[in-house]
Amino acid sequence: MKKLEVLHFPDPRLRKIAQPVKNFDKDLKNIIDRMFFTMYEEKGIGLAATQVNIHKRIIVIDVSEKKNEKLYLINPEILSLSDDKDSMEEGCLSVPGFYESVERPKKIKILTYDYDGKEIELDAYGLLSTCIQHEIDHLNGKLFVDHISSLKRSRIETKIKKLKKDGLIASRKETPNYKSAV
Ligand code: NI
């Protein structure tokens, strides 16, 4: 299988709003398979279709230690968010090598769909909740750097542009805390 190319901040294509999946067919299953392959290859714990320039509401996640708990979300809708919040260090395959603390609701309840278009309700907390919120942001053209100060964000933008120019983006993936890259 061939890896999909991951777009990097500040690529404007990361700002597109993803469209709902309408056809629950073989193509959808193929996209999800390739997204999982790309996410594992890139050592991420989550990937939204937007990040691989597919503007459909699809997310793949695996927050397990052993990388054997695949979770895919199709057309995820937030049903509720808890009032209590939590801060976590977040990273992103589209912002390689940069980590910042982001505050988000602790718990989330979502509605999602399986391959056959059947509705599923899902409750998540902790890392999975953070990951789901981070990925749904991607589908709405938002990145974790939008949650931090504009000063920090523009510093990251400058550094990424320089890394791209120098052809050093790939080396940023080899980071010890890659587990949090979504
Ligand atoms: Ni991300």
Side-chain angles (χ1 to χ4, degrees), residues 18-32:
Q19 297 302 305
V21 169
K22 289 199 183 109
N23 299 318
F24 290 77
D25 55 12
K26 223 194 223 170
D27 285 349
L28 173 64
K29 175 85 167 51
N30 283 339
I31 291 172
I32 291 173

Side-chain angles (χ1 to χ4, degrees), residues 46 51 91-94 134-135 138 143-144 182:
Q51 292 178 273
C92 181
L93 295 177
S94 295
H134 174 119
E135 301 306 339
H138 274 303
L143 295 158
F144 86 93
V182 285

